């Protein structure tokens, strides 16, 4: 079973369209398959209708990101390949619980498992979603799983629930990958901008045509914690204008549209005005140059490829077409529609895509583009620094979360009057104290778009200052036990040295 990815932009190239019969083009258009949607063909070119119908229905089941579609398709492909090698061979709809256990043993058992616990659990989730869909469609009466009752939840909160017995426990280190701020600067300067490891000298052999744009992309990601689909779907019209007098100070809110976010949980993130000013420069320089070149080449043909649109304000656009103008909130525009939006002038002629991030060809940057940019930058850093070095878009999201949590806790503690808090302990009660302690978590939860604060609490174990807090608290506790005020004061003047795993003078 071979996996393919829908690339509608390929229809812009004449050699491809000329090789396809008109009936095939009409059929493709009538299916309304979104850009980036995966599909399967078997070795004989046969189209497996049921599994492909499931993939096409993923957006309706709350999966809106291209990388999620691809991950689910790869998970299904792994299961289908395993089932095809059984004696006798089986399909997904013929699988039993014993077959699923056999698949787990293939992936997870041994000294060097083929998949981590987190990766395996994602495969189980994909299969559960497929069998749930198949049952709803009348294709399969029951899923080939068994469920057990167990306690689910973390950090002291949870509930009893029915859980698939094939799920495995995942440690925190298996979930969260982040980088230090020093390594992020190396990634940006050396990997993306083409500097040498001293971060001052430009590498004369580096092709830096898009270096500044790529570094700006990384800066926006690490400053906001956006997911990749949210990031590549931002429209230029959604960016707030920044007065010249405030470009170097403060921060401004950016709306993450609900239909680009996971589970359609839209939110507001903050970006430094310095960064927004740099985005404005990119829009009027590198981006404008790519658009001008594309206009000269006739890349923007309204109709099949593009949907004309005129922004009304930062929250609404006016879609134009044969049915007349129709206003639509940006919040309910999905990533596929956003990538097709074309700004037009008063005469109805195209002036450039509405999407913010464009490639050199003037077309919206895709998930694969971003992944390749970050992969090559990581490989460059690894080669020059002679040590493992891997940064992805999601790594930057985790980096934002870990460092932001550390800063939120510090800022929260600055405004705490412990004497007053203790005096109001009876008034606040247990719930009040919990609400107070969780304030930084709730702020970070909102910034990240998490459904539950339990997910956000997972970053506590990765917070860079957590060992310093532990060690300082240990000294302070010992000072109270021994009634040594001098020792307590000393605890506040120390910092944690991670290289030596000890407290040292600040």
């Amino acid at each position: 079973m071979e996996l393919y990815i829908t690339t509608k932009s390929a229809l812009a190239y004449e050699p491809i369209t000329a090789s396809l019969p008109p009936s095939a083009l009409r059929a493709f258009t009538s299916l309304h398959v979104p850009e980036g949607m995966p599909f399967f063909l078997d070795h004989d070119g046969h189209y497996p209708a049921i599994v492909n119908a499931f993939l096409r229905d993923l957006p309706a089941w709350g999966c809106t990101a291209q990388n999620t579609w691809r991950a689910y398709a790869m998970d299904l492909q792994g299961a289908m390949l395993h089932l095809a090698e059984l004696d006798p061979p089986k399909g997904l709809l013929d699988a039993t619980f014993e077959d699923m256990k056999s698949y787990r043993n293939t992936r997870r058992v041994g000294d060097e498992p083929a998949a981590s616990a987190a990766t395996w659990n994602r495969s189980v989730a994909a299969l559960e979603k497929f069998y749930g869909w198949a049952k709803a469609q009348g294709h399969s009466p029951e899923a080939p799983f068994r469920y057990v009752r167990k306690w689910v939840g973390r950090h002291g909160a949870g509930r009893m629930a029915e859980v698939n017995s094939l799920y495995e426990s995942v440690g925190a280190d298996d979930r969260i990958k982040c980088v230090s701020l020093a390594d992020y600067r190396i990634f940006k300067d050396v990997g993306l901008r083409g500097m040498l490891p001293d971060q001052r000298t430009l590498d004369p052999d580096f092709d830096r045509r898009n270096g500044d744009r790529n570094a700006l992309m990384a800066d926006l990601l690490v400053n906001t914690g956006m997911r990749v689909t949210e990031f590549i779907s931002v429209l230029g019209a959604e960016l707030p204008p920044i007065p010249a007098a405030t470009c170097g100070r403060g921060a401004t809110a950016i709306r993450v549209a609900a239909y680009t976010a996971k589970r359609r949980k839209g939110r507001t993130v903050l970006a430094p005005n310095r960064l927004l000013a740099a985005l404005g420069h990119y829009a009027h320089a590198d981006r404008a140059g790519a658009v001008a070149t594309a206009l000269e080449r006739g890349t923007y043909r309204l109709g099949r490829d593009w949907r004309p649109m005129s922004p009304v304000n930062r929250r609404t656009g006016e879609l134009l077409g044969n049915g007349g103008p129709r206003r639509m909130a940006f919040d309910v525009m999905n990533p596929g529609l956003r990538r097709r939006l074309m700004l037009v002038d008063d005469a109805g002629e195209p002036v450039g895509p509405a999407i913010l991030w464009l490639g050199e060809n003037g077309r919206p940057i895709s998930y694969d583009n971003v992944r390749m940019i970050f992969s090559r930058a990581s490989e460059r850093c690894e080669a020059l620094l002679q040590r493992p070095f891997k940064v992805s878009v999601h790594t930057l999201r985790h980096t934002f979360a870990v460092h932001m949590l550390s800063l939120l806790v510090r800022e929260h503690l600055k405004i705490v009057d412990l004497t007053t808090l203790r005096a109001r302990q009876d008034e606040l009660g247990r719930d009040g104290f919990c609400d107070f302690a969780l304030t930084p978590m709730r702020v970070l939860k909102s910034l990240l778009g998490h459904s539950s604060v339990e997910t956000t609490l997972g970053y506590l174990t990765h917070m860079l200052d957590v060992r310093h807090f532990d060690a300082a608290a240990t000294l302070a506790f010992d000072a109270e036990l021994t009634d040594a005020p001098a020792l307590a004061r000393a605890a506040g003047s120390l910092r944690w040295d991670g290289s030596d795993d000890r407290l040292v003078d600040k």
Side-chain angles (χ1 to χ4, degrees):
M1 193 72 68
E2 298 293 334
L3 176 62
Y4 299 88
I5 305 296
T6 303
T7 309
K8 300 174 77 171
S9 57
L11 296 179
Y13 297 97
E14 198 65 33
I16 293 178
T17 55
S19 65
L20 296 173
S23 59
L25 293 174
R26 287 195 299 270
F28 178 78
T29 304
S30 65
L31 285 173
H32 301 291
V33 180
E35 179 78 11
M37 176 58 65
F39 63 95
F40 290 103
L41 295 176
D42 65 20
H43 298 298
D44 297 327
H46 178 259
Y47 183 84
I50 292 179
V51 68
N52 285 328
F54 163 72
L55 294 174
R56 290 200 306 274
D57 277 355
L58 280 176
W61 283 60
C63 301
T64 58
Q66 291 184 20
N67 51 315
T68 302
W69 303 340
R70 188 172 305 189
Y72 272 38
M74 293 174 67
D75 291 331
L76 292 181
Q77 184 182 35
M80 287 190 291
L81 290 174
H82 174 78
L83 293 171
E85 293 175 354
L86 297 178
D87 186 18
K90 293 184 178 182
L92 283 173
L93 298 180
D94 306 315
T96 65
F97 177 65
E98 294 302 319
D99 296 329
M100 289 294 112
K101 284 175 58 179
S102 169
Y103 180 44
R104 181 192 61 187
N105 292 340
T106 300
R107 298 281 287 163
R108 288 290 297 148
V109 174
D111 294 334
E112 297 183 7
S116 66
T119 300
W120 166 250
N121 286 349
R122 189 196 69 191
S123 297
V124 174
L127 289 166
E128 278 194 311
K129 191 175 288 288
F130 169 76
Y131 286 111
W133 172 89
K135 183 175 181 179
Q137 299 296 317
H139 298 304
S140 175
E142 295 295 336
F145 300 121
R146 292 179 185 171
Y147 292 84
V148 296
R149 286 188 61 79
K150 63 184 296 187
W151 182 264
V152 296
R154 291 179 290 159
H155 314 291
R159 57 188 174 84
M160 291 298 293
E162 295 281 334
V163 178
N164 192 319
S165 62
L166 294 181
Y167 278 121
E168 298 191 9
S169 299
V170 180
D173 289 337
D174 205 9
R175 277 193 296 265
I176 297 175
K177 300 290 190 298
C178 64
V179 295
S180 68
L181 296 186
D183 273 357
Y184 168 71
R185 287 187 286 268
I186 291 173
F187 173 74
K188 184 178 75 169
D189 292 338
V190 178
L192 297 173
R193 296 180 61 205
M195 290 185 173
L196 294 174
D198 62 10
Q199 293 178 257
R200 292 188 299 270
T201 309
L202 290 174
D203 185 346
D205 298 324
F206 184 80
D207 182 0
R208 60 180 52 83
R209 282 176 299 174
N210 298 307
D212 290 340
R213 180 206 65 186
N214 297 342
L216 185 58
M217 287 166 51
D219 267 345
L220 183 62
L221 287 163
V222 82
N223 272 280
T224 62
M226 286 187 185
R227 300 180 179 93
V228 62
T229 301
E230 299 165 347
F231 167 76
I232 64 176
S233 301
V234 173
L235 304 179
E238 291 177 304
L239 294 181
I242 302 300
T246 64
C247 283
R249 306 188 306 276
T252 303
I254 298 177
R255 174 68 181 171
V256 177
Y259 272 53
T260 69
K262 189 174 182 179
R263 299 187 184 93
R264 295 182 177 175
K265 291 180 66 66
R267 66 188 187 280
T268 298
V269 296
L270 290 174
N273 288 343
R274 166 197 62 80
L275 185 56
L276 290 172
L279 286 173
H281 177 73
Y282 157 73
H284 291 95
D286 294 358
R287 185 184 185 281
V291 169
T293 302
L295 286 170
E296 290 178 5
R297 294 175 177 173
T299 301
Y300 307 138
R301 294 181 294 172
L302 296 178
R304 185 181 65 197
D305 298 331
W306 303 97
R307 180 74 182 271
M309 191 271 286
S310 177
V312 176
N313 51 45
R314 283 178 53 204
R315 293 297 182 94
T316 310
E318 190 169 69
L319 299 179
L320 309 173
N322 297 331
R326 178 170 65 95
R327 291 197 173 188
M328 188 175 186
F330 291 149
D331 219 39
V332 297
M333 292 183 178
N334 62 42
L337 174 59
R338 286 165 169 260
R339 294 177 65 82
R340 294 178 54 234
L341 293 178
M342 175 61 61
L343 302 179
V344 294
D345 58 21
D346 293 338
E349 294 299 318
V351 297
I355 214 89
L356 174 65
W357 299 105
L358 302 179
E360 283 185 301
N361 60 0
R363 291 182 172 274
I365 281 181
S366 68
Y367 163 70
D368 283 335
N369 295 145
V370 178
R371 185 176 62 173
M372 185 176 298
I373 289 168
F374 277 44
S375 177
R376 288 176 176 173
S378 297
E379 290 171 1
R380 173 178 165 81
C381 291
E382 190 167 304
L384 291 177
L385 273 64
Q386 293 295 299
R387 64 180 173 90
F389 205 106
K390 184 177 181 180
V391 176
S392 67
V393 172
H394 217 68
T395 304
L396 295 188
R397 176 173 164 83
H398 291 321
T399 300
F400 163 81
V402 169
H403 291 280
M404 181 58 69
L405 180 57
S406 175
L407 294 172
L408 285 171
V409 169
R410 291 182 194 175
E411 293 301 314
H412 191 52
L413 293 177
K414 283 181 183 178
I415 64 173
V416 177
D417 181 346
L418 290 180
T419 302
T420 303
L421 193 61
R422 285 171 178 166
R424 296 183 59 202
Q425 185 168 353
D426 292 338
E427 175 190 341
L428 289 171
R430 180 179 181 275
D431 292 341
F433 255 84
C434 288
D435 285 342
F436 172 82
L438 287 173
T439 295
M441 295 295 169
R442 292 199 173 99
V443 173
L444 185 61
K445 169 185 175 290
S446 176
L447 291 173
L448 291 172
H450 284 163
S451 297
S452 168
V453 74
E454 286 185 24
T455 305
T456 315
L457 282 167
Y459 289 107
L460 261 182
T461 57
H462 289 263
M463 196 170 68
L464 299 188
D465 285 343
V466 74
R467 298 194 71 182
H468 165 69
F469 293 156
D470 288 348
T474 299
L475 287 180
F477 180 57
D478 185 57
E480 290 193 16
L481 288 174
T482 56
D483 193 22
L487 183 58
R489 288 195 299 271
S493 65
L494 301 175
R495 65 176 177 84
W496 183 261
D497 184 348
S499 60
D500 290 333
D501 276 354
R502 63 190 179 91
L503 283 169
V504 297
D505 290 330
K506 288 183 179 176

